[in-house]
Amino acid sequence: MCRNIRQLHNFEPPATSDEVRAAALQYVRKVSGASKPSQANQAAFDDAVEQIAHITAHLLEHLTTSAPPKNREVEREKAMARNALRFGTPA
Protein backbone atom coordinates (compact mmCIF):
# COMPACT_ATOMS: atom_id res chain seq x y z
CA MET A 1 0.00 0.00 0.00
CA CYS A 2 1.18 3.51 -0.69
CA ARG A 3 2.73 5.02 2.44
CA ASN A 4 0.93 8.33 1.90
CA ILE A 5 -2.51 6.74 2.06
CA ARG A 6 -3.53 6.54 5.70
CA GLN A 7 -6.03 4.26 7.39
CA LEU A 8 -9.34 6.10 7.68
CA HIS A 9 -11.58 3.50 9.33
CA ASN A 10 -12.40 3.33 13.04
CA PHE A 11 -11.16 6.70 14.24
CA GLU A 12 -12.82 9.15 16.58
CA PRO A 13 -13.71 11.61 15.19
CA PRO A 14 -14.43 9.88 11.88
CA ALA A 15 -12.52 10.69 8.70
CA THR A 16 -13.50 13.97 7.09
CA SER A 17 -14.41 14.37 3.43
CA ASP A 18 -11.07 16.18 2.95
CA GLU A 19 -9.18 13.16 4.31
CA VAL A 20 -11.14 10.82 2.06
CA ARG A 21 -10.48 13.00 -0.97
CA ALA A 22 -6.75 13.24 -0.13
CA ALA A 23 -6.53 9.44 0.04
CA ALA A 24 -8.37 9.16 -3.30
CA LEU A 25 -6.00 11.68 -4.86
CA GLN A 26 -2.95 9.74 -3.63
CA TYR A 27 -4.43 6.52 -4.99
CA VAL A 28 -5.08 8.01 -8.43
CA ARG A 29 -1.60 9.55 -8.51
CA LYS A 30 -0.05 6.19 -7.67
CA VAL A 31 -2.09 4.20 -10.18
CA SER A 32 -1.68 6.72 -12.99
CA GLY A 33 1.99 7.35 -12.31
CA ALA A 34 1.42 11.09 -12.52
CA SER A 35 1.32 13.55 -9.66
CA LYS A 36 0.12 16.25 -12.05
CA PRO A 37 -1.67 14.99 -15.16
CA SER A 38 -1.38 16.64 -18.55
CA GLN A 39 -4.17 18.93 -19.69
CA ALA A 40 -5.39 16.15 -21.98
CA ASN A 41 -5.79 13.82 -18.98
CA GLN A 42 -6.91 16.33 -16.33
CA ALA A 43 -10.65 15.66 -16.72
CA ALA A 44 -10.22 11.88 -16.50
CA PHE A 45 -7.89 12.30 -13.50
CA ASP A 46 -10.33 14.59 -11.65
CA ASP A 47 -13.27 12.29 -12.44
CA ALA A 48 -11.37 9.28 -11.09
CA VAL A 49 -10.51 11.14 -7.86
CA GLU A 50 -14.15 12.12 -7.30
CA GLN A 51 -15.46 8.62 -8.02
CA ILE A 52 -12.91 6.96 -5.75
CA ALA A 53 -13.57 9.49 -2.97
CA HIS A 54 -17.31 8.76 -3.26
CA ILE A 55 -16.89 4.98 -3.13
CA THR A 56 -14.37 5.28 -0.26
CA ALA A 57 -16.83 7.35 1.77
CA HIS A 58 -19.51 4.75 1.02
CA LEU A 59 -17.18 1.97 2.18
CA LEU A 60 -16.29 3.77 5.41
CA GLU A 61 -19.97 4.36 6.20
CA HIS A 62 -20.76 0.66 5.84
CA LEU A 63 -17.78 -0.96 7.59
CA THR A 64 -18.41 -2.33 11.06
CA THR A 65 -16.04 -3.34 13.83
CA SER A 66 -16.20 -4.48 17.42
CA ALA A 67 -12.90 -2.72 18.23
CA PRO A 68 -13.06 0.59 20.07
CA PRO A 69 -12.33 3.67 17.95
CA LYS A 70 -8.72 4.80 17.77
CA ASN A 71 -7.66 8.19 19.04
CA ARG A 72 -5.98 10.28 16.33
CA GLU A 73 -3.55 11.97 18.72
CA VAL A 74 -2.41 8.69 20.27
CA GLU A 75 -1.90 7.16 16.81
CA ARG A 76 0.03 10.26 15.68
CA GLU A 77 2.33 10.00 18.71
CA LYS A 78 2.93 6.29 18.01
CA ALA A 79 3.83 7.10 14.40
CA MET A 80 6.23 9.84 15.51
CA ALA A 81 7.94 7.40 17.90
CA ARG A 82 8.27 4.80 15.11
CA ASN A 83 9.76 7.44 12.81
CA ALA A 84 12.21 8.54 15.49
CA LEU A 85 13.46 4.96 15.82
CA ARG A 86 13.53 4.40 12.08
CA PHE A 87 15.23 7.64 11.05
CA GLY A 88 17.15 8.44 14.24
CA THR A 89 15.44 11.76 14.85
CA PRO A 90 14.20 12.93 18.25
CA ALA A 91 10.56 12.14 19.00
Side-chain angles (χ1 to χ4, degrees), residues 5 23-34 44-46 48-50 52:
I5 299 176
L25 178 60
Q26 285 298 329
Y27 175 79
V28 173
R29 284 177 173 168
K30 187 69 160 185
V31 170
S32 69
F45 191 91
D46 292 343
V49 170
E50 292 309 315
I52 292 168

Side-chain angles (χ1 to χ4, degrees), residues 5-56:
I5 299 176
R6 304 289 179 228
Q7 178 179 338
L8 299 176
H9 176 59
N10 198 28
F11 277 99
E12 190 59 44
T16 65
S17 58
D18 288 341
E19 291 172 313
V20 170
R21 189 175 189 298
L25 178 60
Q26 285 298 329
Y27 175 79
V28 173
R29 284 177 173 168
K30 187 69 160 185
V31 170
S32 69
S35 59
K36 178 141 177 54
S38 66
Q39 287 182 353
N41 293 326
Q42 186 68 52
F45 191 91
D46 292 343
D47 186 48
V49 170
E50 292 309 315
Q51 288 186 36
I52 292 168
H54 175 77
I55 206 71
T56 300

